[in-house]
Amino acid sequence: MTTKHENIISTKQENADDGCLIGECCPLAIPYPHNPAVVPVRSQKKDQTLPTGPLGPLGRLEDLLGQPSNAICADCGSPDPKWVSLSLGVFICIKCSGVHRSLGVHISKVLSVKLDEWSDEQVDSLIDLGGNAAANLKYEALLPDNVRKPKPDSSIEERADFIRKKYEQQQFLDSSLQTALVVRSTRHSHSHSGSLHDKKHYDKQATTSRIHGLGQAFRNSWRRKEPEYRPSRKIASTNSSNSSSSNCSNNTSPGMVEFVGLIKVNIVRGTNLAVRDVMTSDPYVILSLGQQSMKTRVIKSSLNPVWNERLMLSIPDPVPPLKLQVYDKDTFTTDDHMGEAEIDIQPLVSAAKAYENSNITESMQLGKWIATKDNTLVKDSVINLVDGKVKQEIVLKLQNVERGVLQIELECVPLSQ
């Protein structure tokens, strides 16, 4: 059941002695109207070989961004791109990043240059892929004269159509370049022995795409993994059937979503979770927002797991509820359900939009979601303005399970930031 916020919004009150602008202390507080939403986004980097050193991963990323081919979006040419497809090795703008997200992480794993944390191994993987120049040489090698790339002011529909043809359907790909690019990547890779494990995780899809193509190979690989959690099975079958019929209108519809911002979710911990493996469980959390879905790591043998894992999604239109599902990881059977919850993030989004241009520096309470017997809150949840950021801490009881509590922290980032 979807939990609804109560007494949240912000009509500023000059007589608020305690600094609370909205919430139960504000008699004029009204519920926010349902707002448009955004799409998931993440970032990645790319280009030519830069040694690890005092610059660190972010400094190396900035150097990559400074290269002429990476200074504009690989797909539409918008200047100063701040997003990266880690699996494809391209720097992209915020609008194109939404379309990349809609392709699914099996094709394009999107990260933010500024908002995500980067490792040297991830930067190395971008270097190996060669940056925008190498990617466009490969994926636009056979671009027909009658097909025009999107421009910075192109519509979402135009972007979605081109990006899907370019990466998902690979209509402009010169297959003869694939082997050459693999050799080039091997030649440029660093001999960082400590980076092997992380690169296996982040580069698996990009390597597979260079050898076998991003299309069906990735779709099949993704589909085989679906038994990990049952709810995504419907999504997987929908995505695979849509991708097989490239002329179907539903195939491009996920890329036509307008963005209103990003939501950063910190999965903090679980408490007193249900037993699924004799005396304990191996829990992980699936986070979903609209058609976007992400998963935490598995914590072995724990009923009180501590993740402290930060994930980021975009917010679509209209703003859907944020869904959390907890599962017990099983090796040989379908993963066991350990509870679920839904959160109405509209009040948080509305508060972030109301204060995105605020010059207020001191911390203050913007609203409160009251714990009652009719919702799943363990305690009241407060929306706060902290250092110019709109945040919310939530502790809630998991539903459709015998027991279990989940603690999370939310932060909404408007697009202007």
Side-chain angles (χ1 to χ4, degrees):
M1 81 184 192
T2 302
T3 46
K4 297 288 182 183
H5 285 58
E6 293 153 1
N7 297 334
I8 0 180
I9 257 260
S10 62
T11 15
K12 302 181 185 178
Q13 287 210 274
E14 301 171 10
N15 57 353
D17 307 348
D18 57 356
C20 171
L21 297 185
I22 49 177
E24 58 180 349
C25 63
C26 176
L28 296 181
I30 56 173
Y32 280 117
H34 211 58
N35 236 4
V38 176
V39 175
V41 214
R42 285 207 179 177
S43 47
Q44 314 169 332
K45 334 278 173 190
K46 44 161 188 176
D47 249 9
Q48 324 247 321
T49 310
L50 296 175
T52 55
L55 281 180
L58 288 181
R60 298 174 68 211
L61 270 180
E62 291 298 331
D63 280 353
L64 293 178
L65 266 174
Q67 298 187 5
S69 63
N70 299 331
I72 61 173
C73 174
D75 296 327
C76 75
S78 293
D80 195 25
K82 295 300 182 185
W83 301 91
V84 183
S85 172
L86 190 58
S87 46
L88 298 174
V90 292
F91 284 91
I92 50 180
C93 68
I94 179 67
K95 293 181 179 179
C96 290
S97 72
V99 181
H100 275 257
R101 270 293 203 184
S102 72
L103 301 178
V105 294
H106 59 297
I107 294 178
S108 183
K109 182 182 177 67
V110 182
L111 298 177
S112 166
V113 174
K114 298 293 186 182
L115 299 176
D116 280 306
E117 295 182 3
W118 284 80
S119 66
D120 279 315
E121 289 75 15
Q122 288 173 296
V123 179
D124 287 342
S125 73
L126 292 178
I127 292 171
D128 290 344
L129 289 172
N132 285 8
N136 284 342
L137 179 66
K138 174 183 178 180
Y139 291 103
E140 297 179 8
L142 303 179
L143 186 67
D145 293 337
N146 62 345
V147 175
R148 294 185 179 180
K149 290 186 65 170
K151 297 180 179 179
D153 59 351
S154 293
S155 67
I156 291 294
E157 290 81 359
E158 291 174 302
R159 295 172 195 272
D161 181 63
F162 178 81
I163 290 172
R164 286 184 177 276
K165 288 178 179 177
K166 179 177 177 180
Y167 299 110
E168 184 179 50
Q169 300 162 23
Q170 299 187 353
Q171 292 187 10
F172 321 128
L173 178 70
D174 184 352
S175 57
S176 65
L177 291 174
Q178 293 187 23
T179 304
L181 286 174
V182 173
V183 173
R184 179 184 185 281
S185 173
T186 304
R187 217 175 266 144
H188 280 37
S189 59
H190 296 299
S191 57
H192 299 312
S193 58
S195 70
L196 182 59
H197 174 75
D198 193 70
K199 291 193 76 172
K200 277 183 180 178
H201 177 74
Y202 288 103
D203 296 349
K204 177 180 178 184
Q205 294 173 336
T207 304
T208 304
S209 70
R210 291 197 296 273
I211 299 174
H212 301 294
L214 284 169
Q216 192 62 37
F218 268 124
R219 283 193 285 274
N220 290 342
S221 171
W222 183 42
R223 195 179 299 120
R224 285 195 295 272
K225 296 178 183 177
E226 284 311 317
E228 281 187 358
Y229 52 93
R230 277 162 288 187
S232 65
R233 197 172 291 165
K234 292 181 180 179
I235 299 174
S237 98
T238 301
N239 284 348
S240 60
S241 63
N242 283 348
S243 61
S244 65
S245 55
S246 60
N247 294 326
C248 176
S249 60
N250 290 336
N251 194 32
T252 58
S253 60
M256 300 179 187
V257 181
E258 295 293 340
F259 307 105
V260 297
L262 305 170
I263 186 162
K264 301 168 76 172
V265 183
N266 180 20
I267 309 293
V268 180
R269 64 187 305 147
T271 305
N272 195 29
L273 300 184
V275 175
R276 290 294 181 265
D277 296 332
V278 185
M279 296 185 65
T280 186
S281 296
D282 301 326
Y284 64 91
V285 180
I286 296 171
L287 187 68
S288 302
L289 187 65
Q291 296 188 15
Q292 309 159 62
S293 182
M294 303 188 74
K295 187 178 77 169
T296 68
R297 68 187 185 280
V298 176
I299 304 293
K300 294 288 187 180
S301 303
S302 178
L303 300 180
N304 299 286
V306 177
W307 286 282
N308 270 326
E309 188 163 345
R310 291 171 172 80
L311 306 173
M312 184 164 60
L313 300 168
S314 313
I315 309 170
D317 184 6
V319 178
L322 180 66
K323 297 182 180 180
L324 301 101
Q325 297 169 303
V326 184
Y327 285 88
D328 165 59
K329 177 66 177 175
D330 287 326
T331 305
F332 302 108
T333 61
T334 302
D335 294 353
D336 299 315
H337 185 256
M338 295 178 64
E340 59 193 47
E342 286 192 6
I343 302 170
D344 180 9
I345 62 170
Q346 179 66 66
L348 181 68
V349 173
S350 299
K353 292 182 68 176
Y355 286 89
E356 63 181 324
N357 298 317
S358 172
N359 294 321
I360 300 175
T361 56
E362 68 273 14
S363 299
M364 64 176 61
Q365 178 177 313
L366 303 181
K368 183 181 289 188
W369 179 15
I370 308 298
T372 70
K373 63 180 181 180
D374 297 322
N375 60 39
T376 60
L377 286 179
V378 173
K379 61 180 182 179
D380 293 350
S381 175
V382 177
I383 299 177
N384 286 317
L385 183 66
V386 182
D387 296 328
K389 301 175 181 179
V390 177
K391 300 183 177 182
Q392 182 176 10
E393 296 184 7
I394 302 175
V395 181
L396 37 70
K397 295 171 282 188
L398 294 171
Q399 300 297 293
N400 301 319
V401 68
E402 58 268 29
R403 71 187 199 198
V405 171
L406 202 61
Q407 178 183 348
I408 66 172
E409 298 171 346
L410 306 178
E411 178 186 343
C412 185
V413 183
L415 284 185
S416 61
Q417 298 180 5

